[in-house]
Amino acid sequence: MTRLRETHTIVWRGITIEVRYEERWLGSDGPFSTAHLELESVAPARAPLPVTETGYRSHFTPAAVIGAAGGAVAFAIAWLEREAGAQAWKAQEEAARQMTLF
């Protein structure tokens, strides 16, 4: 069985992110299929994201979860937005903005 991998590029809050998705990571299909989603900030390279301080995140989840969200890109954006609401991320964004003043 050939494993298909999708690659998408999104821009989220000024950060260019590559979203890579493999629906049948373990080669299985059906309701228990394990999917693999990767997020990597590419511009600026390895810029922190709300889901990772290193700019790279590998995430395994049931494929049905990604499908229910509307696909890999929709899932990634919703995940980033949800985690961006965390106080730690808000503080990091504020600190980054303050540094641009000097």
Side-chain angles (χ1 to χ4, degrees):
M1 169 185 256
T2 303
R3 290 171 37 174
L4 300 175
R5 185 173 177 174
E6 300 175 16
T7 302
H8 306 276
T9 302
I10 63 172
V11 177
W12 180 80
R13 297 189 183 187
I15 302 170
T16 302
I17 302 168
E18 190 169 275
V19 178
R20 295 183 294 270
Y21 177 64
E22 195 169 335
E23 182 178 7
R24 293 178 186 89
W25 186 75
L26 293 176
S28 62
D29 201 1
F32 303 108
S33 176
T34 299
H36 184 214
L37 179 76
E38 294 174 283
L39 301 180
E40 182 176 357
S41 50
V42 293
R46 294 295 184 120
L49 299 169
V51 297
T52 173
E53 294 177 5
T54 66
Y56 174 81
R57 178 73 185 257
S58 174
H59 181 69
F60 296 92
T61 189
V65 171
I66 302 289
V73 170
F75 180 90
I77 292 170
W79 189 22
L80 290 165
E81 287 297 332
R82 183 180 69 240
E83 295 302 317
Q87 194 60 38
W89 177 255
K90 289 178 182 179
Q92 185 171 336
E93 277 189 317
E94 183 61 30
R97 274 194 293 276
Q98 291 298 321
M99 296 202 54
T100 62
L101 296 177
F102 299 101

